[in-house]
Amino acid sequence: MDFLLSQTFPIPVHAMVAMAAIIIGGLQLYLKKGTSLHKFMGRIWVILMLIVSFTSFFIHKLNLWGKYSPIHLLSIWVIICVVLGVYFARTGNIKRHKIFMIWTYWLALILTGFFTFYPGRVMNIMFFG
């Protein structure tokens, strides 16, 4: 954890918020839907996902297009999907809400989270030395 905290801003915030989003998102998938707890945790998860997405624009480790890389396109996609997911929940289209939120969780947090363990990346060094 010390290695993560020693990184330049916003990497520690980005990583810790992403880990919190993984935990809360996992609970969301497991717990009963439509309850006040689900709605409360969903609001927290959305805020966490937006923080993860926005902080990514200040991380420039893979510079393929100037300061940016394909991961920044993912951040734009996540912002759009989370906003649409909230919109669908508020308009009563729960089927689409569910699709957007589940796919965002699995693609933006779990799948891309595995790429953070690529050799030389912060999470790889933190967990494997």
Side-chain angles (χ1 to χ4, degrees):
M1 187 61 105
D2 290 338
F3 181 74
L4 177 60
L5 295 175
S6 71
Q7 299 300 303
T8 58
F9 179 81
I11 293 171
V13 171
H14 179 81
M16 288 187 289
V17 171
M19 287 185 270
I22 289 170
I23 292 166
I24 290 176
L27 288 170
Q28 282 292 81
L29 294 175
Y30 176 74
L31 296 173
K32 185 175 178 173
K33 311 302 180 267
T35 64
S36 58
L37 177 62
H38 175 80
K39 293 173 186 177
F40 175 73
M41 288 177 55
R43 287 180 182 101
I44 292 171
W45 187 78
V46 165
I47 291 167
L48 294 174
M49 291 302 291
L50 292 174
I51 292 170
V52 170
S53 296
F54 283 113
T55 57
S56 78
F57 293 111
F58 301 98
I59 299 171
H60 307 289
K61 296 285 183 180
L62 303 170
N63 300 325
L64 297 177
W65 306 313
K67 290 184 174 183
Y68 300 101
S69 69
I71 200 73
H72 295 103
L73 294 175
L74 173 68
S75 296
I76 293 168
W77 177 81
V78 167
I79 293 166
I80 292 167
C81 287
V82 167
V83 168
L84 285 172
V86 170
Y87 169 77
F88 290 132
R90 289 185 175 247
T91 58
N93 191 338
I94 301 306
K95 182 178 179 182
R96 283 203 174 170
H97 164 74
K98 182 178 179 180
I99 289 168
F100 272 83
M101 295 311 200
I102 290 173
W103 278 98
T104 301
Y105 177 81
W106 285 106
L107 293 176
L109 287 173
I110 303 305
L111 179 64
T112 59
F114 283 112
F115 289 107
T116 66
F117 290 98
Y118 187 79
R121 307 250 355 240
V122 172
M123 298 308 278
N124 178 283
I125 295 167
M126 191 174 107
F127 282 92
F128 305 115

